[in-house]
Amino acid sequence: MKSLTAPHILDGNAIAAAIKAEVAAEIEQLRAHGIRPGLTVVMVGNHPASEVYVRNKVKTSASLGIVGEMLTPPESITADEMLTLIAALNARDDVDGILIQLPLPRHIDAKRLLEAVAPEKDVDGFHPVNVGRLQTGQPALAPCTPAGIIEMLRRAKVPVAGQNAVVVGRSDIVGKPMAMLLLHGNATVTICHSKTKDLASFCRSADILVAAIGKAGMITPEMVRPGAVLIDVGMNRVTSQTEFDRFFAGDAKREAAFQKNGSVLMGDIDPHAFELASYYTPVPGGVGPLTIAMLMANTVRAARLRRGLSVS
Ligand code: NDP
C-alpha cells in the first residue's frame, strides 16, 4: 500500500544551503565585534577517502568566513604527542572548534583523545560533558548529523511532538544522540539495534523512522508504515550488479552512474520504501549535506558560547 499523497522529498542540499547562509550572516555580525570563528580539523595519517571530507570541511569554513585549518600529523604520531597537540589547540584563542577526524590509528585511544578536547571547543559534540549536557537539555554542542536531522524536520515543519519515533542504530555519533534529540522534541522514542527481536514490527510502529545502521537497503518496504517519515542516515556503496538491480532496476540515471563509476551510493532504506513515505531523505542529497552545515553552525555556536554571547 502506498502513501495516500505523493511523498515529499526532504532536500538536504537546499536546507544545508539555507543554514550556511544564516551562519555566514552571523559570522559577518561577529566580525563587526572583532570575532572571527576558527575551526581546526586534525586528520592523522593518510586517508584518501577522509581527506576529501576534511578538505571539504575546511573549504566550506573558508567560504563562510570561518578560519579553517587542517593539521595532518603522520600515522607514526604517538598518543602522548597527540595529547600535546590537542592541549595546544585547547589553549589557542583563535581556535573555537576542534574536530578530530575518525578513524584514528590503532595505537591511539580515540575515547581518551576525544575527552582531551576542551568541551567548549568540541564541535562534534562527542565529549562526555557535551553528551551529558545534551541528555539534561542544557545548551550544548550536539553531534552534527542528528542535530542536522532535527533542524531539517523543524524547517520542513514535520511534527515531532507526540510521534512514535524509531531509531535503528545506537552509535554514540548518530543513534543515541538522535534518540535524545527526538525525545527532547517530545517524540515517544524507541532505539533498535542488532540484538533487537522482531525489528520489523518496531519499524512498522514508527511515525518517524531513522535508519543509522550502515547496511544497504536493510529497511524494506514491508517494515514501513504508509505515511511514515523516513530519515536515511546510511551511506553505503553498492558495487554488485545484482544488488544494484534489486534496488535500482529501471533507474536509467543511476544505472549510467553505476556503469561509469562501478558503484553508487545508497542508504540503509530500500528506495522502494520511499514510495510509502509522507516525507523522506534521499541518498545522496538528504542527511549528508546537513552534517557539514551543522559543523559550521556548531563552530559559530562554540565561538559565541566561549565568549559568553547568547545562543538560540
Ligand atoms: P555504527 O556502525 O557505529 O552503528 C551501527 C548501528 O547499527 C549499531 O548500533 C548496530 O547495532 C546497528 N545495527 C547493525 N546491524 C543491525 C541489524 N541487522 N539490525 C538492527 N541494527 C543493526 O554506525 P554509525 O552510527 O556511525 O553510522 C551508521 C550509518 O550512517 C553508516 O552507513 C554511516 O556511514 C552513516 N553516517 C552518515 C552520516 C551522514 O552525514 N550522512 C554521518 C555519520 C554516519 P549494535 O549496536 O547492536 O552493534
Side-chain angles (χ1 to χ4, degrees), residues 145 168-171 173-175 192-195 199 212-215 218 233-236 268 287-288 291:
T145 302
V168 189
R170 57 172 164 180
S171 70
I173 295 170
V174 189
C192 298
H193 47 78
S194 67
K195 309 289 184 296
L199 177 68
I213 311 162
K215 295 201 168 141
M218 216 200 92
V233 184
M235 289 203 290
N236 313 292
D268 292 338
V287 173
T291 301

Side-chain angles (χ1 to χ4, degrees), residues 96-97 118-127 129-131 133-134 138-144 147 294 297-303 305:
D96 292 293
E120 65 272 20
K121 296 191 178 188
D122 165 41
V123 281
D124 255 339
F126 295 163
H127 192 287
V129 166
N130 286 321
V131 175
R133 284 188 183 142
L134 178 67
Q138 299 171 52
L141 294 166
C144 299
M294 292 310 287
N298 266 358
T299 303
V300 175
R301 193 177 169 86
L305 284 170

Side-chain angles (χ1 to χ4, degrees), residues 46-216:
N46 196 9
H47 297 277
S50 302
E51 198 169 326
V52 177
Y53 286 120
V54 172
R55 286 201 186 287
N56 201 3
K57 285 170 185 169
V58 175
K59 216 170 84 188
T60 307
S61 306
S63 73
L64 302 183
I66 293 172
V67 183
E69 178 184 39
M70 177 170 163
L71 301 180
T72 53
E75 186 97 11
S76 58
I77 191 168
T78 65
D80 282 346
E81 285 167 341
M82 270 305 281
L83 289 171
T84 306
L85 176 78
I86 299 303
L89 293 174
N90 285 343
R92 266 174 57 186
D93 198 42
D94 62 327
V95 175
D96 292 293
I98 303 168
L99 187 151
I100 301 170
Q101 186 70 34
L102 301 174
L104 287 164
R106 275 164 167 249
H107 65 277
I108 296 177
D109 178 349
K111 281 210 163 147
R112 188 162 166 231
L113 200 64
L114 294 174
E115 280 192 38
V117 173
E120 65 272 20
K121 296 191 178 188
D122 165 41
V123 281
D124 255 339
F126 295 163
H127 192 287
V129 166
N130 286 321
V131 175
R133 284 188 183 142
L134 178 67
Q135 175 137 345
T136 50
Q138 299 171 52
L141 294 166
C144 299
T145 302
I149 292 168
I150 292 292
E151 197 53 33
M152 175 183 250
L153 295 173
R154 190 181 71 78
R155 287 174 191 247
K157 298 192 168 44
V158 174
V160 172
Q163 302 296 293
N164 288 339
V166 174
V167 180
V168 189
R170 57 172 164 180
S171 70
D172 293 335
I173 295 170
V174 189
K176 283 186 208 158
M178 183 76 254
M180 195 48 65
L181 287 168
L182 287 163
L183 185 63
H184 287 316
N186 292 320
T188 302
V189 183
T190 306
I191 307 176
C192 298
H193 47 78
S194 67
K195 309 289 184 296
T196 297
K197 285 186 193 158
D198 198 2
L199 177 68
S201 72
F202 281 106
C203 291
R204 272 194 299 271
S205 74
D207 300 311
I208 301 173
L209 179 60
V210 181
I213 311 162
K215 295 201 168 141

